[in-house]
Amino acid sequence: MKKAKPHIIYMILINVLINSCIDPIDVDSNVLENAIVIEAIITNELKHHQINLSRTFDLDKDEPSPEINAEVKIIDASQNVYNFNEDTPGKYISTSEFAAETGNTYQLFVTTGAGDSYTSNPLPLTSETQIGDVNIAVETNEDGVLGVGVFANSFDSSGNSRYYRYEYEETYKIVAPFWNRFDAIVVSPTEVGLTPRIKEEKVCYGSALSTGIIQTETSGFSEDRVTQKLVRFIPVDNPIITHRYSVLIKQYVQSLESYTYFKTLKELSGSESLLSQNQPGFISSNIFSEKNPNEKVLGFFDVSSVSSKRVFFNFRDLFSTAQRLPPYFVACDFFAPLDNDSDISLIKAIQAGSFKYYRQNYIFGSPPVVPNGGPYVLVIPECGDCTTIGTNVVPEFWID
């Protein structure tokens, strides 16, 4: 395990860094085990911005150590000060909402609890270019997998943008396949009854953020135009598109330095580059120590304009009835415990909350769902209660 340490350090850096640009830093595991990591991106969105501070960590630890009790602020060219308070360990949130503006510059200042101070050079906001159309199409990827592609388009007539990064937030409807409006409850030591459910457990919503680094650039083209950039590919058998799906695509316009940093991180994150003899021996930062110019500082301060667009689609909008719906998130089997079962009786199963009621096992004129089973058919909670997978709170933006 210890022999793999240099490679793991690269992986650690990839997971905890956010950008690069000025001073090359040798990735030496002995030097970087206690280096500060500063993740700071502000945008032209009016919101409470977030800055993350941590320390690189040894193989014996599962995650980086948060840098606590630091003083964090951003000062613009007009000497406006934006202070950040520590919300949770290592996570600093601006005390007020603000948005980066064109024509202004922003400089980061961090002072740790130990008195070490770090800063960046003043940075301007990148060109503000709105994301264009977001297209949805049935695609077969390079591995021959059928699915849905989500594509972003953009155009800057001034030609000043050139470097783009994309993130997405996806939300999808979840419908519990074996939901019933009744719950089974124990009414006496020997008796089970049914009662109406009092909360929504049939229809829920799940969500997820993008992972990895998605970038493109137009510097080699005559026009500053992004055409059909694949941002998300969803295989046809992924349950998140079974019913209704929505994705919010965010487009960040980057500086060349920011683009280069993210590109380096992406290259380092590939297993081939991590294990290759040609792996890079440095990673860069535009943040430096005010007291010790030789100190290794990891991370990047980025000031990027961002725009976004949301789209929705239903599975049947794209696929005919000849295409089977994706399978559910988990396998759903039926259980019908007997009242006197020695392993788990019906009453014990209900008391333990291990199952949800689905239906009567024996209905006149129909064969039993579970032959030789008890009176009630049960399923695991995920199959009868969608809140075990998602939330029953309808998102504010949701449109059916």
Side-chain angles (χ1 to χ4, degrees):
M1 185 68 172
K2 291 294 183 181
K3 292 181 180 179
K5 194 165 187 173
H7 301 314
I8 300 299
I9 289 296
Y10 279 111
M11 299 177 73
I12 292 166
L13 294 178
I14 293 156
N15 289 328
V16 299
L17 297 184
I18 269 277
N19 276 23
S20 90
C21 172
I22 296 180
D23 298 323
I25 296 175
D26 292 331
V27 182
D28 185 316
S29 61
N30 294 323
V31 174
L32 295 181
E33 282 181 3
N34 194 35
I36 191 166
V37 181
I38 301 176
E39 306 172 77
I41 296 179
I42 65 169
T43 69
N44 57 343
E45 299 169 287
L46 180 61
K47 67 177 186 179
H48 292 278
H49 294 270
Q50 177 180 327
I51 293 174
N52 297 324
L53 305 181
S54 61
R55 293 276 172 178
T56 53
F57 59 101
D58 200 349
L59 291 179
D60 297 331
K61 298 182 180 179
D62 294 330
E63 57 186 19
S65 301
E67 184 70 21
I68 62 174
N69 300 325
E71 178 185 331
V72 180
K73 61 186 176 182
I74 289 173
I75 302 178
D76 67 18
S78 302
Q79 296 305 301
N80 295 308
V81 180
Y82 306 98
N83 291 305
F84 288 69
N85 285 341
E86 190 168 14
D87 180 61
T88 57
K91 176 182 174 182
Y92 296 80
I93 306 295
S94 62
T95 56
S96 60
E97 295 183 334
F98 71 98
E101 298 178 345
T102 301
N104 208 343
T105 60
Y106 301 84
Q107 188 171 10
L108 173 68
F109 295 88
V110 174
T111 302
T112 67
D116 297 319
S117 56
Y118 306 90
T119 189
S120 70
N121 292 318
L123 296 177
L125 179 69
T126 55
S127 299
E128 297 189 53
T129 300
Q130 294 297 311
I131 190 172
D133 292 332
V134 174
N135 300 327
I136 307 296
V138 175
E139 292 285 319
T140 300
N141 69 10
E142 58 186 14
D143 296 322
V145 177
L146 179 67
V148 178
V150 181
F151 301 88
N153 297 270
S154 182
F155 176 62
D156 179 7
S157 59
S158 72
N160 293 326
S161 297
R162 295 295 180 183
Y163 302 99
Y164 302 87
R165 183 171 63 86
Y166 294 92
E167 295 178 348
Y168 61 82
E169 301 174 6
E170 59 186 359
T171 307
Y172 45 92
K173 180 180 285 189
I174 302 167
V175 180
F178 300 110
W179 171 88
N180 192 292
R181 65 189 183 94
F182 289 101
D183 257 336
I185 60 171
V186 176
V187 297
S188 77
T190 59
E191 185 180 2
V192 172
L194 300 177
T195 185
R197 298 196 192 189
I198 59 175
K199 68 174 183 177
E200 175 61 60
E201 295 178 345
K202 182 180 181 181
V203 178
C204 292
Y205 302 86
S207 61
L209 300 176
S210 57
T211 59
I213 297 170
I214 307 165
Q215 288 183 295
T216 192
E217 53 97 7
T218 64
S219 60
F221 300 101
S222 59
E223 286 189 315
D224 189 356
R225 185 185 299 274
V226 176
T227 303
Q228 291 295 88
K229 171 62 180 177
L230 180 64
V231 177
R232 176 76 165 112
F233 178 80
I234 312 167
V236 70
D237 60 355
N238 191 321
I240 66 175
I241 59 173
T242 300
H243 300 287
R244 188 160 178 78
Y245 173 93
S246 176
V247 62
L248 177 71
I249 302 296
K250 291 187 174 184
Q251 173 182 275
Y252 294 83
V253 177
Q254 300 177 282
S255 64
L256 172 59
E257 292 79 11
S258 173
Y259 175 84
T260 302
Y261 185 79
F262 276 97
K263 182 180 179 181
T264 302
L265 291 184
K266 185 173 183 178
E267 290 172 351
L268 286 172
S269 67
S271 60
E272 291 183 0
S273 64
L274 283 171
L275 301 177
S276 169
Q277 294 180 354
N278 298 321
Q279 61 181 254
F282 66 90
I283 197 162
S284 302
S285 175
N286 67 348
I287 304 169
F288 53 89
S289 168
E290 292 187 292
K291 295 182 179 180
N292 179 8
N294 295 319
E295 181 179 347
K296 308 303 183 182
V297 181
L298 303 177
F300 185 79
F301 175 49
D302 196 14
V303 184
S304 292
S305 69
V306 63
S307 62
S308 61
K309 183 164 289 188
R310 179 179 294 281
V311 294
F312 291 82
F313 69 84
N314 296 325
F315 188 85
R316 291 304 178 201
D317 293 339
L318 303 176
F319 298 98
S320 71
T321 54
Q323 176 64 53
R324 295 179 60 182
L325 290 172
Y328 192 56
F329 294 89
V330 298
C332 296
D333 295 320
F334 296 139
F335 305 89
L338 298 169
D339 292 331
N340 59 353
D341 194 306
S342 59
D343 293 326
I344 180 167
S345 68
L346 174 61
I347 289 178
K348 287 181 179 179
I350 294 172
Q351 288 176 330
S354 305
F355 300 96
K356 300 293 289 188
Y357 171 76
Y358 170 48
R359 54 162 285 178
Q360 300 278 348
N361 192 24
Y362 300 95
I363 297 177
F364 181 76
S366 300
V369 177
V370 180
N372 304 314
Y376 297 134
V377 178
L378 309 179
V379 292
I380 60 174
E382 292 85 352
C383 299
D385 177 1
C386 64
T387 64
T388 59
I389 296 178
T391 174
N392 59 11
V393 178
V394 182
E396 291 183 0
F397 58 80
W398 193 260
I399 301 173
D400 277 315

